[in-house]
Amino acid sequence: MAFDRRTFLGTSAATGAAVALAGATSSPAAAAEAGSAASAASAAAAPRTYAFTVMGTTDLHGNVFNWDYFTDKEFDDKAHNDVGLAKISTLVNQVRAEKGRCNTLLIDAGDTIQGTQLSYYYAKVDPITARRGPVHPMAQAMNAIGYDAAALGNHEFNYGIPVLRKFEEQCDFPLLGANALDAKTLRPAFPPYSMHRLRTPHGRDVKVAVLGLTNPGIAIWDKANVQGKMTFPGLEEQAAKYVPKLRSMGADVVIVSAHSGSSGTSSYGDQLPYIENAAALVAEQVPGIDAVLVGHAHTEIPEYRVKNKATGKDVVLSEPLKWGQRLTLFDFELTWSKGCWSVAKVSARVLNSNTAAEDPKIVSLLSDEHRKVVAYVNQVIGTSVQAMSSAEGPVKDVPIIDLINHVQAETVKGALAGTEWAALPVLSQASCFSRTASIPAGQVTIKDAAGLYPFENTMEARLLTGAQVKDYLEYSARYYVRTAPGEVVDPAKLTNAEGTPDYNYDAVYGLAYEIDIAQPVGSRISGLSFQGKAVDPAAQFVLAVNNYRASGGGNFPHVPQAKQLWSNSEEIRNTIIQWVKAKGTIDPAQFASVDWRLTRAGVPVF
């Protein structure tokens, strides 16, 4: 607030009491003169303040509506979260009504145009890059809501630079990336920052700078799209370059919108000299930052304070939950002194979008696009002999994960036919990307098949030895919590050890093996065999692997350095859809078998 009524009333009451006391021993004229002087002194001493709020979202991943296109029904989860920009819009409107629109900004921390069938449809089926193509639904929604700036996320590059550039052109706000540089000139390929002016009742305008930082992992994860075109240095070094510049340009407040988690970890190991999740390091190492909107990690952090090493001041971080499930509010209080504004206080909190109705304005704006995508995902592409579910995929070898692996292995075998590698055995890796994925008995639609693979990964073939495959499996098995023989096994608490996500546990198809969860990490794989014989450490295998893993995602051993035998640019999701179309019928009896199991001292856990 620009004017604190309670402070004013309290000051006035105190002044009045002083005047009344003086009036008991002085004349009315003297009392009036004393009162006037006291009021003037109080007014002169009262600090001039201004308050404003910066709202933030991140990892929207193509969610406009509270709708799950993979199940074709309203989104829901165990916590009854809601998703989508239509709900975020209602929350934004409420905050603007409370604070005054002129006292707010709205920013995003990236990963906007990939993740749902809605965003896929307008990148691939009816692409925004086509001549007289449509306007991307995310651009339409974010423009209508009134975003002021957005940082680039790594998934912005999944569909290639032309799609990203077209999306950028369609946005009424800048896409920021101070560490997204042109590979040849090393100059920024996108605006590094944006500057915003907020009018105040007294003193000059408040200048708020938003510095956008994206993830260096783009160089690995989307190598095919960015190699030789863009380069992505570390967040800390670019923040250290730009924050002083922004302050010298008169920024009273500096906010970083970073598509980078706060943990200080990396999933790509030593393949890049930069930290993947560097938001807290930026706050700690670079002086002059007031707040950081955190993205990328898909976690909820209402408020997290990091002390800057140089200044000793707290920097406030906040990460709203993915897909529009939360809206971060950074509340700033500034004071005017000696001709400039300074930040007196910053706090952060999040609002839950499940408390809001969808904004009718956004629903109306994009209802046609929604209907088109619903019709698209409901196209029948084949039939299934039986129902399959991924619910037990994290702890059991289930047919639905075998289906992914079988399609991948068949595709690679076909691609290598007639080459010098054609005789080598082909293995395949896949993760349980969604515990709610399913294939029904009977008719199978695009949404059913697409739901198995929600990421835009493409496929590669890499050459590994038997010893390297075993190392790979040992690394993957760290996913399980060590559980001694005799201990009660709770499937809900058995997985995700050390925070390992489901997508970083790989089941390898084409081999048989056991995972002894009673053993320490690194000594869990036993009985590793191929076609009934123990795997020779020197034997050669072809691994069908997604580009994320092949590029170092998850920091699995050997694969990133392994010889690449083949790759293509077709999403694995589409490969599965085309396979179902070609086969017509999905019959687990033709590809599914129990080849791996969890054990303790040789005794199966399940």
Side-chain angles (χ1 to χ4, degrees):
M1 295 174 61
F3 181 73
D4 191 330
R5 177 176 169 81
R6 283 179 292 181
T7 301
F8 173 76
L9 290 175
T11 303
S12 299
T15 303
V19 172
L21 183 62
T25 56
S26 306
S27 68
E33 185 177 344
S36 177
S39 295
S42 177
R48 295 180 177 181
T49 64
Y50 175 64
F52 70 97
T53 296
V54 177
M55 298 172 281
T57 55
T58 190
D59 296 279
L60 293 168
H61 283 288
N63 285 279
V64 172
F65 301 105
N66 188 42
W67 195 260
D68 185 344
Y69 293 98
F70 294 126
T71 61
D72 196 26
K73 59 185 179 182
E74 185 176 343
F75 176 88
D76 195 22
D77 61 13
K78 290 181 180 178
H80 300 299
N81 288 301
D82 287 347
V83 301
L85 278 171
K87 293 221 165 200
I88 289 294
S89 182
T90 298
L91 293 177
V92 168
N93 290 338
Q94 291 171 356
V95 173
R96 285 172 174 163
E98 177 189 348
K99 307 285 185 179
R101 177 157 187 156
C102 60
N103 300 320
T104 65
L105 293 171
L106 176 59
I107 63 176
D108 183 80
D111 275 6
T112 303
I113 60 172
Q114 174 277 334
T116 65
Q117 287 292 282
L118 179 72
S119 54
Y120 175 82
Y121 187 90
Y122 287 98
K124 292 288 190 176
V125 182
D126 186 11
I128 60 174
T129 49
R131 187 169 178 262
R132 298 179 181 175
V135 177
H136 199 289
M138 294 301 287
Q140 291 190 60
M142 295 174 82
N143 289 342
I145 295 169
Y147 273 78
D148 294 288
L152 292 164
N154 54 284
H155 284 287
E156 260 64 84
F157 294 84
N158 285 172
Y159 296 118
I161 292 174
V163 170
L164 174 54
R165 287 300 190 191
K166 189 63 178 181
F167 175 71
E168 179 187 29
E169 177 187 314
Q170 293 176 342
C171 291
D172 295 340
F173 51 91
L175 299 183
L176 308 178
N179 61 327
L181 310 181
D182 181 276
K184 293 184 175 65
T185 66
L186 297 184
R187 293 177 180 173
F190 295 85
Y193 59 84
S194 58
M195 193 75 78
H196 310 268
R197 287 182 176 271
L198 300 175
R199 299 295 298 271
T200 69
H202 39 247
R204 61 173 171 76
D205 295 350
V206 169
K207 294 178 71 174
V208 181
V210 179
L211 177 66
L213 296 170
T214 192
N215 207 290
I218 296 166
I220 290 177
W221 304 321
D222 271 297
K223 181 179 179 180
N225 291 328
V226 301
Q227 188 174 34
K229 300 174 184 176
M230 292 185 190
T231 186
F232 303 88
L235 284 81
E236 304 101 304
E237 67 178 69
Q238 293 302 301
K241 172 182 177 180
Y242 279 102
V243 171
K245 179 178 181 179
L246 294 171
R247 289 294 185 182
S248 70
M249 293 168 62
D252 302 295
V253 179
V254 173
I255 300 168
V256 172
S257 183
H259 193 75
S260 180
S262 62
S263 65
T265 60
S266 286
S267 67
Y268 42 70
D270 59 359
Q271 293 185 76
L272 288 175
Y274 312 116
I275 298 296
E276 176 184 351
N277 296 302
L281 295 175
V282 170
E284 179 184 77
Q285 296 176 11
V286 181
I289 297 170
D290 297 297
V292 181
L293 178 65
V294 179
H296 184 60
H298 289 202
T299 57
E300 181 177 345
I301 305 174
E303 182 184 88
Y304 174 44
R305 292 179 177 269
V306 174
K307 195 171 293 294
N308 183 266
K309 286 184 175 180
T311 65
K313 294 182 178 179
D314 279 355
V315 181
V316 177
L317 287 73
S318 181
E319 181 175 5
L321 199 57
K322 64 184 186 296
W323 305 347
Q325 294 179 50
R326 303 288 186 273
L327 176 69
T328 278
L329 303 186
F330 290 106
D331 292 314
F332 289 85
E333 295 181 15
L334 276 62
T335 57
W336 175 261
S337 178
K338 298 180 180 178
C340 67
W341 289 106
S342 60
V343 175
K345 182 181 178 182
V346 187
S347 61
R349 54 197 169 102
V350 295
L351 302 181
N352 194 328
S353 64
N354 72 8
T355 64
E358 291 190 323
D359 185 347
K361 175 183 173 182
I362 304 302
V363 172
S364 175
L365 179 68
L366 292 165
S367 59
D368 286 346
E369 287 83 348
H370 175 69
R371 282 193 292 268
K372 286 180 182 179
V373 176
V374 167
Y376 165 74
V377 301
N378 280 288
Q379 292 179 41
V380 175
I381 56 174
T383 60
S384 179
V385 171
Q386 67 184 59
M388 294 181 284
S389 168
S390 64
E392 294 185 311
V395 296
K396 294 182 181 180
D397 187 351
V398 294
I400 202 167
I401 306 299
D402 284 345
L403 172 60
I404 298 172
N405 272 320
H406 181 70
V407 172
Q408 292 181 164
E410 275 205 347
T411 302
V412 168
K413 287 176 184 176
L416 296 181
T419 72
E420 62 181 299
W421 316 106
L424 290 180
V426 177
L427 313 177
S428 177
Q429 61 78 221
S431 305
C432 182
F433 295 114
S434 168
R435 298 192 185 200
T436 60
S438 64
I439 296 290
Q443 290 187 335
V444 178
T445 63
I446 284 177
K447 68 175 168 41
D448 298 323
L452 302 183
Y453 220 106
F455 299 106
E456 318 309 327
N457 294 340
T458 58
M459 205 186 321
E460 299 188 15
R462 297 285 179 125
L463 184 65
L464 296 179
T465 66
Q468 290 174 329
V469 170
K470 187 173 187 297
D471 287 347
Y472 188 99
L473 289 170
E474 288 285 9
Y475 182 84
S476 184
R478 82 199 195 289
Y479 171 73
Y480 295 105
V481 175
R482 190 176 183 183
T483 310
E487 280 189 43
V488 175
V489 175
D490 180 354
K493 298 178 180 179
L494 184 60
T495 62
N496 307 104
E498 304 297 326
T500 303
D502 290 349
Y503 63 77
N504 273 344
Y505 169 66
D506 288 357
V508 173
Y509 179 82
L511 297 171
Y513 57 96
E514 294 181 354
I515 303 172
D516 190 335
I517 60 173
Q519 298 301 315
V521 169
S523 303
R524 292 180 167 179
I525 303 300
S526 63
L528 182 62
S529 64
F530 174 71
Q531 294 183 347
K533 296 181 180 180
V535 168
D536 180 352
Q540 288 188 316
F541 294 90
V542 177
L543 180 66
V545 61
N546 67 54
N547 68 304
Y548 174 78
R549 192 71 79 235
S551 297
N555 202 23
F556 278 62
H558 307 305
V559 174
Q561 296 80 29
K563 182 179 181 64
Q564 184 190 81
L565 307 182
W566 170 85
S567 69
N568 77 352
S569 59
E570 183 72 25
E571 287 95 345
I572 294 171
R573 175 167 59 207
N574 275 350
T575 301
I576 296 170
I577 290 169
Q578 295 306 319
W579 184 91
V580 175
K581 283 183 176 180
K583 296 292 183 182
T585 301
I586 303 172
D587 184 0
Q590 297 179 358
F591 57 80
S593 59
V594 178
D595 295 318
W596 66 268
R597 57 172 51 88
L598 302 182
T599 62
R600 287 183 294 184
V603 178
V605 175
F606 301 107

